[in-house]
Amino acid sequence: MQLRYNFRVYPTPGQQVALARAFGCARVVYNDALTARETARREGSPYVTDAELSKALTEAKKAPERAWLSDVSSVVLQQALADLNTAYRNFFAVITGKRKGTRVGPPRYRSRRDNRQAIRFTKNARFTVTAGGKLRLPKVGDVKVAWSRELPSEPSSLTIVKDAAGRYFASFVVQVAAEPLPVVGSEVGIDLGLSTFAVLSNGKTIASPRFLRQAERRLRKAQQTLSRKEKGSRNRAKARVRVAKAHARVADMRRDWAHKQSTTVIRENQAVFVEDLCVKGLARGRLAKSVHDAGWGMFVRMLKGKAVRYGRAFSKVDRWFPSTRMCSVCGVVGENKPLHVRTWTCTCGTVHDRDLNAAINILAAGRAESLNACGGAVSLSA
């Protein structure tokens, strides 16, 4: 399986200029290719193929007004064209109904004011890690890297990212083998929530850290300072970076916490079942800030990826499954329960904790789906 290993890099001022040049050239190539295809579409001309775009790039380097494209690695420019091709393929797949999941629109132009800038190198670019531990990039130089661990294998590609906070990262794509953990006998269903981040079917709970809420006062002050600066001024640019750094700190804390919690869940359980929540839909309501702060989607993605890597079973239960309304003892499905109802009593006399009952039902439904997938005959009806 393929994984990404991300490391912080610290380019010198001269290397930052070289990277900025590479970001700009990749953006221009992407936008030029997009213009060529949009012009052909409006004029009713044949679709501009990938080969024609690549040939046009080669010719553009010879023109005086685009001669500066030769100042950066050609692989970076070719990868910009590859990104555009991928964007079009995804868009066409949506139109034809071949793409499942999130719908995507047509490619849009890239801006120099985008908060995130990135370029990609492949093996053809011959990037290397020097004996001194620095990352050697073509036409950039040897960049200092803060190595936190060794790469498990030779990277197939490398992406250099500059985020909104002005930080630089090197993202390596590497091939790793599965690392099955020792088999354990426990399985768990997980009910995700806001007051408590997660309730497990075995009775354990994971408290919600609420990183955004804790940092809200600091973020508010930074945003107020930004709003008072004159647009276009250097002070406004500095204030924008301070706001971005504050948000980046919250995001980093949330990501680190989610990694630790998901690793613990995967290590302790042979099978993990969660509800297939529509996070985007939930984030449109009055609880939007809390939903985004919880980071359910990121946590579930980590569970899925680590389950594959460590030989655990993972599946999602249908979002329409009445996990909250169903009694985990007798199976009777009751009426809808408002969010303020934390405990309820079934007609069979059992008193349920709302979240724990849902987690137990999710575990039962996940096991049933697993048995059905293996050819078993299972029914959840009472």
Side-chain angles (χ1 to χ4, degrees):
M1 61 182 299
Q2 285 188 336
L3 292 179
R4 280 193 177 273
Y5 278 55
N6 297 326
F7 303 93
R8 183 83 179 268
V9 296
Y10 298 89
T12 64
Q15 291 169 345
Q16 292 181 20
V17 173
L19 288 173
R21 186 184 302 115
F23 294 144
C25 290
R27 182 177 62 250
V28 168
V29 169
Y30 182 95
N31 290 343
D32 285 350
L34 180 55
T35 299
R37 282 185 168 166
E38 285 298 302
T39 302
R41 182 186 62 82
R42 288 194 299 267
E43 296 177 353
S45 303
Y47 181 77
V48 182
T49 64
D50 300 351
E52 290 173 340
L53 291 177
S54 182
K55 183 178 180 181
L57 172 59
T58 303
E59 295 299 324
K61 291 182 178 180
K62 301 176 183 179
E65 62 272 15
R66 286 286 191 267
W68 36 266
L69 291 176
S70 301
D71 295 340
V72 302
S73 171
S74 60
V75 174
V76 169
L77 307 182
Q78 290 295 336
Q79 291 303 304
L81 294 180
D83 290 341
L84 179 64
N85 297 335
T86 301
Y88 267 108
R89 284 197 298 270
N90 292 337
F91 174 57
F92 293 151
V94 168
I95 294 176
T96 57
K98 297 179 180 179
R99 179 184 173 89
K100 298 181 181 179
T102 306
R103 295 178 61 86
V104 295
R108 295 182 296 180
Y109 288 97
R110 292 178 175 177
S111 171
R112 64 185 300 177
R113 293 182 176 84
D114 287 343
N115 291 333
R116 183 181 182 276
Q117 300 286 341
I119 53 175
R120 187 168 62 253
F121 297 90
T122 61
K123 283 186 175 180
N124 294 335
R126 298 180 181 178
F127 64 87
T128 58
V129 178
T130 66
K134 291 189 175 182
L135 179 61
R136 180 165 296 168
L137 301 175
K139 298 191 177 182
V140 175
D142 295 351
V143 182
K144 180 183 177 181
V145 184
W147 299 103
S148 56
R149 52 184 172 173
E150 294 184 358
L151 293 175
S153 63
E154 191 72 19
S156 59
S157 68
L158 162 67
T159 302
I160 300 296
V161 179
K162 180 183 179 184
D163 67 3
R167 303 177 300 176
Y168 292 84
F169 295 90
S171 178
F172 298 89
V173 176
V174 296
Q175 192 74 26
V176 298
E179 304 172 13
L181 292 173
V183 177
V184 295
S186 59
E187 298 180 350
V188 71
I190 302 177
D191 179 66
L192 300 173
L194 294 177
S195 57
T196 302
F197 178 80
V199 176
L200 281 59
S201 57
N202 56 17
K204 294 182 179 180
T205 60
I206 301 176
S208 181
R210 300 181 181 179
F211 293 111
L212 181 61
R213 296 290 184 181
Q214 293 179 6
E216 212 164 20
R217 183 179 180 183
R218 182 171 61 253
L219 290 170
R220 187 186 301 114
K221 287 186 176 181
Q223 188 64 49
Q224 288 175 346
T225 302
L226 171 63
S227 64
R228 291 167 182 159
K229 303 300 180 184
E230 183 180 354
K231 291 187 177 180
S233 66
R234 290 189 177 183
N235 285 336
R236 184 179 178 86
K238 294 177 182 177
R240 186 202 63 79
V241 173
R242 283 194 289 270
V243 171
K245 286 182 177 180
H247 280 286
R249 184 172 183 270
V250 172
D252 290 344
M253 291 170 62
R254 184 187 296 115
R255 188 181 304 107
D256 178 71
W257 179 86
H259 268 298
K260 292 175 180 177
Q261 297 299 329
S262 59
T263 299
T264 300
V265 171
I266 290 297
R267 284 178 176 173
E268 295 178 351
N269 300 280
Q270 189 64 30
V272 179
F273 307 103
V274 298
E275 190 174 6
D276 186 17
L277 295 174
C278 181
V279 178
K280 285 189 175 181
L282 294 171
R284 295 193 187 103
R286 60 186 179 85
L287 298 175
K289 183 182 290 187
S290 297
V291 171
H292 285 301
D293 191 17
W296 293 331
M298 176 175 59
F299 178 73
V300 171
R301 287 193 300 271
M302 289 180 180
L303 285 176
K304 183 178 180 179
K306 292 176 182 180
V308 173
R309 183 177 183 183
Y310 298 118
R312 301 307 201 200
F314 173 86
S315 68
K316 295 181 180 179
V317 176
D318 181 52
R319 67 184 59 169
W320 304 114
F321 175 68
S323 59
T324 301
R325 297 186 292 125
M326 177 185 289
C327 175
S328 58
V329 176
C330 67
V332 172
V333 179
E335 58 185 12
N336 288 329
K337 307 291 188 298
L339 286 177
H340 69 272
V341 177
R342 308 315 302 174
T343 60
W344 58 280
T345 304
C346 179
T347 54
C348 67
T350 306
V351 179
H352 291 292
D353 175 89
R354 175 195 184 99
D355 298 331
L356 179 58
N357 176 69
I360 295 173
N361 286 330
I362 290 172
L363 173 61
R367 284 173 171 172
E369 290 181 3
S370 300
L371 291 174
N372 284 334
C374 296
V378 178
S379 174
L380 288 178
S381 60

